[in-house]
């Protein structure tokens, strides 16, 4: 009962935060008052960089840590593998405690163990900063793995709770970097370009030059740490290393494959989620077209937490029953983890998530974006609005069945030609070898390390 109350209070705090903090007036005032706060950081990072350069020149391995909270936000696969192949680097994943965030998580140890097993079973070099014997999380002073030369963060939110050693403020003695956990199409410029986090990192590798320009315009540090690299996750779509794994439930005959990916913003300012309006209708669609279509229910990770404890009329039991329904219908299933193979083996998507808008468009396949209210797309940034012109849209799900029948089943994808041209012109990384190679080569150049032939 107390946990539910805390979560509800937390979400009302979010509503207030959105109405006050995410305003242009607040942003201008904040930028003026803090205009000199980060002036000394470039010089400090230059000293750190020189130390790492010296280590590299001595032939010592450069330790590169990836701090990861959740498996489904792992966006560094290509970068990790490039570093893994280069004997001059020691890349590894650190499973960090998920002890705060939009929904406060007090029981974080099982989650850490689950994430650790996921990466361990797949052959990654992964470190769990946790002592099972003492039942506690280790500190920086206790583990060399928590003192890397280069540190990639998973996202820009403060989700480590009391475990401050994992936060960016306690790691200013290494080269801290970041690839946005999602492709940003919202104009929530403070959250995506101008948090204290963004201003304090060594480098941020953004999706496009347009995102770098937004950082220069909105960040207090004028985007001095912003680099246009392309989005590493999309390398899996544009430059696949291997055939995708077919992760879909076997069917008695070939069917069209549609992903439904509902977002969780039901209380926040943008309120982009349509889930409450269409959750029953989507079940009807799955049943009605069971002979022609199979569906994957791909909910945002935060959706379950909100339905369990913060949305009137919903609770954990109702939510679990709903998820179970999607697991058990003959032509449906649920996906809660990695989704690259899912995207590559699908035919279409129905969704209202920000990052998926760019990510799925990059597969060249048709997508229907559900507009919960006019403010959703009105509040998109320049990149988001450009994508909007090349995807199918629907107000509150009115066009869902038409999209399923006409575009997917009948194959009348009338936006296909323009979408293909747009993806090639704007979403493909500028580096002909992909975003991961661009970031890897940027690290080599920064550390004054020559390129190796096997990674060329």
């Amino acid at each position: 009962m107390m946990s539910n109350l805390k979560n509800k209070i937390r979400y009302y705090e979010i509503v207030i935060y959105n109405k006050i903090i995410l305003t242009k007036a607040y942003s201008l005032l904040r930028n003026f008052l803090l205009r000199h706060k980060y002036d000394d950081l470039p010089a400090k990072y230059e000293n750190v960089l020189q130390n790492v350069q010296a280590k590299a020149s001595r032939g010592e391995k450069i330790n590169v840590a990836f701090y990861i909270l959740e498996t489904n936000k792992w966006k560094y696969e290509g970068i990790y593998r490039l570093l893994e192949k280069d004997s001059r680097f020691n890349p590894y994943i650190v499973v960090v405690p998920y002890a705060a965030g939009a929904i406060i998580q007090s029981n974080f140890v099982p989650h850490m163990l689950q994430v650790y097993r996921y990466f361990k079973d797949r052959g990654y070099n992964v470190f769990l900063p946790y002592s099972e014997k003492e039942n506690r999380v280790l500190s920086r002073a206790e583990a060399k793995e928590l003192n890397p030369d280069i540190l990639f963060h998973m996202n820009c939110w403060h989700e480590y709770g009391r475990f401050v050693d994992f936060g960016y403020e306690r790691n200013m003695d290494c080269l801290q970097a970041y690839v946005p956990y999602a492709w940003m199409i919202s104009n929530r410029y403070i959250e995506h370009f101008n948090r204290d986090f963004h201003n304090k990192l060594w480098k941020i590798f953004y999706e496009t030059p347009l995102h770098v320009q937004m950082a220069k315009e909105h960040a207090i540090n004028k985007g001095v740490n912003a680099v246009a690299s392309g989005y590493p996750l999309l390398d899996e779509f544009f430059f696949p290393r291997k055939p995708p794994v077919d992760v879909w439930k076997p069917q008695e005959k070939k069917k069209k494959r549609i992903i439904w990916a509902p977002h969780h913003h039901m209380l926040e300012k943008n309120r982009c989620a349509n889930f409450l309006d269409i959750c029953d209708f989507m079940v009807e669609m799955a049943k009605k077209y069971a002979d022609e279509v199979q569906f994957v229910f791909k909910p945002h990770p935060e959706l379950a937490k909100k339905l369990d404890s913060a949305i009137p009329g919903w609770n954990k039991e109702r939510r679990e029953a709903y998820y179970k329904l999607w697991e058990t219908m003959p032509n449906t299933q649920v996906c809660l983890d990695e989704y690259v193979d899912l995207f590559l083996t699908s035919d279409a998507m129905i969704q209202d998530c920000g990052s998926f808008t760019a990510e799925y468009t990059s597969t060249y396949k048709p997508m229907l974006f559900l507009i919960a209210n006019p403010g959703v797309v009105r509040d998109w940034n320049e990149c988001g609005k450009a994508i909007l012109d090349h995807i199918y849209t629907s107000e509150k799900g009115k066009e869902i069945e038409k999209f399923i029948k006409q575009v997917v089943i009948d194959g009348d994808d009338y936006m296909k030609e323009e979408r293909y041209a747009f993806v090639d012109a704007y979403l493909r990384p500028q580096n002909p070898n992909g975003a991961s190679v661009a970031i890897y080569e940027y690290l080599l150049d920064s550390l004054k390390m020559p390129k190796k032939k096997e990674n060329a």
Side-chain angles (χ1 to χ4, degrees):
M1 181 66 70
M2 183 58 68
S3 176
N4 288 344
L5 178 61
K6 287 182 179 179
N7 287 332
K8 289 180 180 179
I9 292 174
R10 169 61 177 160
Y11 276 106
Y12 287 120
E13 289 175 347
I14 291 175
V15 173
I16 296 172
Y17 166 82
N18 283 318
K19 290 185 178 297
I20 297 176
I21 302 303
L22 297 182
T23 62
K24 186 174 182 180
Y26 176 87
S27 179
L28 291 172
L29 177 62
R30 176 174 176 268
N31 282 17
F32 176 77
L33 294 176
L34 302 178
R35 62 192 182 280
H36 296 303
K37 180 177 180 180
Y38 308 104
D39 289 353
D40 62 333
L41 287 184
K44 289 183 177 180
Y45 272 125
E46 182 60 29
N47 290 333
V48 177
L49 177 61
Q50 290 177 6
N51 291 334
V52 182
Q53 288 173 340
K55 183 176 180 179
S57 68
R58 295 192 298 268
E60 299 179 38
K61 285 199 177 219
I62 304 303
N63 297 310
V64 185
F66 297 85
Y67 279 12
I68 301 299
L69 291 160
E70 298 177 279
T71 59
N72 62 351
K73 290 183 179 177
W74 172 243
K75 304 297 172 70
Y76 293 110
E77 175 69 15
I79 304 168
Y80 178 94
R81 296 305 181 189
L82 287 167
L83 295 173
E84 184 181 51
K85 291 194 300 181
D86 191 330
S87 59
R88 297 169 295 179
F89 291 93
N90 173 38
Y92 57 93
I93 294 170
V94 176
V95 179
V96 292
Y98 192 179
I103 291 288
I104 297 172
Q105 302 234 344
S106 57
N107 192 20
F108 56 86
V109 173
H111 182 78
M112 288 181 72
L113 294 173
Q114 180 183 1
V115 174
Y116 174 78
R117 286 192 296 268
Y118 176 90
F119 286 107
K120 192 70 174 177
D121 291 345
R122 287 161 176 77
Y124 293 88
N125 182 13
V126 56
F127 173 67
L128 181 69
Y130 171 72
S131 171
E132 187 174 2
K133 181 179 179 180
E134 301 177 45
N135 189 28
R136 66 180 183 85
V137 174
L138 303 180
S139 67
R140 288 189 71 193
E142 296 174 297
K144 61 180 177 56
E145 290 86 355
L146 303 181
N147 294 275
D149 301 302
I150 302 174
L151 168 58
F152 281 93
H153 289 279
M154 190 192 82
N155 62 31
C156 59
W157 312 110
H158 305 164
E159 295 180 317
Y160 307 131
R162 65 183 182 275
F163 303 108
V164 294
D165 273 2
F166 300 99
Y168 63 95
E169 292 182 314
R170 293 291 184 94
N171 287 278
M172 300 299 292
D173 55 349
C174 68
L175 299 174
Q176 298 191 88
Y178 173 57
V179 170
Y181 72 92
W183 185 296
M184 299 306 171
I185 63 172
S186 166
N187 68 358
R188 295 155 74 96
Y189 298 112
I190 290 180
E191 293 188 343
H192 301 317
F193 298 94
N194 199 23
R195 297 173 70 87
D196 186 61
F197 172 89
H198 298 99
N199 288 281
K200 280 192 174 178
L201 295 198
W202 172 58
K203 298 297 174 185
I204 300 179
F205 297 99
Y206 282 111
E207 303 94 309
T208 67
L210 192 58
H211 288 85
V212 169
Q213 185 59 37
M214 285 186 271
K216 290 180 178 179
E217 292 178 4
H218 298 283
I220 295 170
N221 70 357
K222 304 299 182 183
V224 297
N225 56 352
V227 178
S229 62
Y231 199 50
L233 178 71
L234 301 190
D235 291 347
E236 301 287 333
F237 303 147
F238 294 126
F239 314 100
R241 295 173 290 109
K242 60 184 185 305
V245 177
D246 189 348
V247 296
W248 294 71
K249 182 187 293 186
Q251 301 289 293
E252 70 281 359
K253 70 174 188 176
K254 185 175 178 60
K255 300 177 181 179
K256 294 294 185 178
R257 295 170 163 183
I258 299 177
I259 303 167
W260 173 38
H263 201 263
H264 68 97
H265 277 182
M266 293 172 276
L267 296 174
E268 288 78 358
K269 180 183 178 181
N270 58 345
R271 293 188 298 280
C272 64
N274 295 266
F275 178 82
L276 297 178
D277 296 318
I278 67 170
C279 58
D280 293 332
F281 179 74
M282 289 304 296
V283 172
E284 291 179 19
M285 290 296 96
K287 293 179 178 179
K288 181 175 181 178
Y289 293 98
D291 193 51
E292 299 170 281
V293 181
Q294 60 182 131
F295 292 83
V296 163
F297 177 50
K298 181 72 178 73
H300 191 287
E302 295 291 322
L303 180 62
K305 302 169 190 175
K306 288 189 177 179
L307 294 176
D308 285 358
S309 57
I311 303 300
W314 283 81
N315 51 42
K316 185 177 181 179
E317 291 72 23
R318 181 181 177 186
R319 192 270 305 168
E320 287 181 342
Y322 186 82
Y323 279 43
K324 185 69 174 178
L325 178 62
W326 280 94
E327 289 177 351
T328 55
M329 286 189 289
N331 63 321
T332 66
Q333 64 196 82
V334 178
C335 174
L336 301 176
D337 292 314
E338 191 275 332
Y339 54 85
V340 170
D341 289 329
L342 178 70
F343 279 22
L344 291 175
T345 53
S346 66
D347 293 304
M349 173 181 276
I350 298 170
Q351 60 96 20
D352 47 21
C353 298
S355 184
F356 279 2
T357 303
E359 293 176 20
Y360 197 78
T361 300
S362 297
T363 68
Y364 297 96
K365 300 172 183 180
M367 173 180 61
L368 178 67
F369 184 85
L370 308 179
I371 302 174
N373 65 79
V376 173
V377 294
R378 184 183 62 233
D379 292 341
W380 281 8
N381 62 33
E382 297 88 326
C383 180
K385 289 177 179 178
I387 295 173
L388 187 66
D389 292 334
H390 299 87
I391 60 176
Y392 300 95
T393 60
S394 169
E395 293 184 9
K396 289 187 177 296
K398 294 178 182 178
E399 303 293 319
I400 290 177
E401 186 166 11
K402 179 182 177 181
F403 177 77
I404 294 172
K405 184 68 173 62
Q406 177 180 336
V407 178
V408 183
I409 297 177
D410 296 341
D412 183 18
D413 182 6
Y414 55 88
M415 299 186 76
K416 181 176 180 178
E417 186 174 335
E418 290 186 4
R419 184 174 65 251
Y420 270 57
F422 172 76
V423 171
D424 286 338
Y426 293 95
L427 301 186
R428 287 182 72 95
Q430 293 182 332
N431 188 304
N433 296 311
S436 297
V437 170
I439 295 172
Y440 167 71
E441 292 180 347
Y442 190 94
L443 294 180
L444 293 183
D445 291 341
S446 298
L447 300 180
K448 299 180 179 179
M449 300 169 69
K451 295 179 184 177
K452 288 205 165 185
K453 291 183 179 181
E454 62 265 30
N455 289 314

